[in-house]
Amino acid sequence: MVELNLPEGRLVRLTTDRGVLSADKVDDGTRVLLNDGPPVAGAGVLVDVGCGYGAIAIALALRSDPESVVWAVDVNERARELCAANAEANGVGHKVRVVAPEDVPTDLVVEQLWSNPPIRVGKSALHDLLRTWMDRLDPTGGQASLVVQKHLGADSLASWLDDQGWPTERLVSRAGYRVLSVRPRQSA
């Protein structure tokens, strides 16, 4: 069990297990993202890519409008089980849809994407993952918020995203992490 104190004064308790990222405490990057990311209110469809046991997904569900839906996506079955149980335990199970990547509707358009992306999967796999999700951003105002350790390539990832047509800016740099804000591709 780990605890997450959200800046607005909410305490979130999360059950963890071996085999998921940061089972002994909420990852420092996730904390930076949740503390320094953009506001959530107003977004109807949100997604946490690589949801793990649910820290980001649950925070998004707690912060978002009552009718919002948070898609929590992970390849790890145990992580998905924990995320679903944690969403229920924190009173937002009705707002969080926990799924494997292949179970996401192909036509899903996302207003806000939040992620502490799996950098260690390798550059090629990471780029494939990001291409898939960045192209789901609502072209009329979608936004992605990514947290990446500076020494694990945050600046080169920001450059790559820009080069691919997704305007990217650094929102904050804190504790060795960068929070990147990514906008949808611009139409030609």
Side-chain angles (χ1 to χ4, degrees), residues 81-170:
E81 291 169 358
L82 290 166
C83 183
N86 285 328
E88 285 296 328
N90 284 281
V92 292
H94 63 286
K95 290 178 67 172
V96 178
R97 295 185 185 157
V98 184
V99 296
E102 61 271 14
D103 296 330
V104 176
T106 56
D107 61 348
L108 182 70
V109 176
V110 176
E111 292 169 76
Q112 287 191 15
L113 181 152
W114 289 60
S115 185
N116 184 346
I119 298 297
R120 295 179 194 269
V121 298
K123 193 177 281 190
S124 177
L126 177 65
H127 289 174
D128 288 346
L129 173 84
L130 291 174
R131 277 187 200 98
T132 297
W133 285 100
M134 292 301 139
D135 281 339
R136 291 176 179 261
L137 288 175
D138 183 343
T140 64
Q143 176 182 1
S145 299
L146 310 174
V147 64
V148 181
Q149 279 188 339
K150 182 179 176 184
H151 79 274
L152 289 180
D155 295 337
S156 64
L157 180 61
S159 294
W160 178 82
L161 287 162
D162 261 333
D163 292 346
Q164 298 300 306
W166 295 292
T168 303
E169 67 176 289
R170 185 185 323 155

Side-chain angles (χ1 to χ4, degrees), residues 55-67:
I56 294 172
I58 292 164
L60 294 176
L62 288 168
R63 292 174 169 172
S64 62
D65 296 339
E67 64 279 354

Side-chain angles (χ1 to χ4, degrees), residues 2 35 39 50-51 53 58 60 68 71 80 94 110 114 144 152 155 161 167 174 181:
V2 297
N35 288 334
C51 66
Y53 51 80
I58 292 164
L60 294 176
S68 296
W71 290 82
R80 292 192 309 268
H94 63 286
V110 176
W114 289 60
L152 289 180
D155 295 337
L161 287 162
R174 183 177 334 285
S181 175

